[in-house]
Amino acid sequence: ALGNLSDNLTEFGYFAYVLRGEAKSRINLWSEAQQDFQKALELEPKAAVAHWAYANMLAKTQHRTEAVGELRSLLTYHPNYIPGIVSSRNY
């Protein structure tokens, strides 16, 4: 099903990249997922869900330092974002 999606999801907004990144993470396509999360953040640099999803993927792939950096960015923009607060306590 992922293969049926266009490479360019920009017309659908940043969240389309977050969703595809999440899907790719679930099937261990880490590099492709990372590209999608980065594109989401390029389109919407302050998107809480994009930072949070990207941080989770980084943590799952043992990139904890980068994950913490994403969570710091997230909490700088959205200090009350509950999923980010909870995740920051786990890393």
Side-chain angles (χ1 to χ4, degrees), residues 61-74:
T61 58
Q62 305 306 313
H63 293 95
R64 299 235 183 246
T65 302
E66 293 92 336
V68 169
E70 281 303 315
L71 289 174
R72 284 188 182 137
S73 293
L74 160 62

